[in-house]
Amino acid sequence: MPQYDFKKYHYRSINAATDAERAAINQELKDLYNSLPEEEKGEFNNQLQTFLAKEMGRLKSNYESVKGNLGDN
């Protein structure tokens, strides 16, 4: 079962200079998904959900850390 590098797409999207560039990156990811055989799409989705959950957890942790350092302003 292949491992998909969602981090690569994520960082490229974060660093995109324009909305059009970000949309093109998202389209690449959609095209990759559409090119997969049906039996691999479930695994792709599982890996994507795992990546997104980890990223959201990391962002929440970073936010709480920054928020805690700012006090109750």
Side-chain angles (χ1 to χ4, degrees):
M1 195 72 47
Q3 291 292 317
Y4 301 100
D5 188 4
F6 297 112
K7 187 180 281 189
K8 172 182 74 174
Y9 292 98
H10 180 64
Y11 285 135
R12 285 178 55 216
S13 181
I14 288 172
N15 294 310
T18 65
D19 287 340
E21 185 179 351
R22 188 170 294 108
I25 293 164
N26 288 338
Q27 188 60 51
E28 283 180 41
L29 195 55
K30 290 176 185 178
D31 291 345
L32 172 60
Y33 177 82
N34 289 330
S35 74
L36 295 174
E38 286 301 316
E39 59 272 6
E40 289 183 27
K41 288 182 178 180
E43 180 60 24
F44 178 96
N45 287 331
N46 288 337
Q47 289 181 34
L48 178 58
Q49 291 301 314
T50 299
F51 173 78
L52 292 174
K54 286 179 183 176
E55 278 301 301
M56 291 304 293
R58 184 185 63 77
L59 290 171
K60 181 178 183 224
S61 176
N62 289 349
Y63 171 76
E64 289 172 348
S65 175
V66 169
K67 182 179 172 188
N69 288 334
L70 293 177
D72 291 329
N73 294 336

